Amino acid sequence: MSNYLFFCLDCQEEFAQHMNMSEYEKGGLTCPKCGGKRVTQHVEAFSAVTSRKS
Ligand SMILES: [Zn+2]
């Protein structure tokens, strides 16, 4: 289970979500704050921060 970071284009809210990429690709992701579907993924920046520490 991975923790992905997303950003809502409607309310400008950033939020983390536990989900598989297959679930994300199904298009079922909505913003937990406003319920909007215009959500973009911020997984790259998020994983870079957590995995760079050695
Ligand atoms: Zn929103």
Side-chain angles (χ1 to χ4, degrees):
M1 186 71 75
S2 298
N3 198 4
Y4 295 97
L5 193 66
F6 297 94
F7 180 77
C8 176
L9 296 175
D10 287 335
C11 67
Q12 314 278 294
E13 184 80 1
E14 234 178 25
F15 60 96
Q17 190 90 19
H18 292 277
M19 73 187 315
N20 300 322
M21 283 318 291
S22 56
E23 298 230 21
Y24 173 70
E25 285 164 4
K26 274 192 285 185
L29 182 64
T30 54
C31 173
K33 186 176 179 182
C34 73
K37 292 186 176 179
R38 297 175 62 210
V39 174
T40 186
Q41 191 181 25
H42 274 192
V43 66
E44 289 177 35
F46 187 65
S47 61
V49 170
T50 55
S51 64
R52 277 296 168 87
K53 203 172 184 180
S54 59

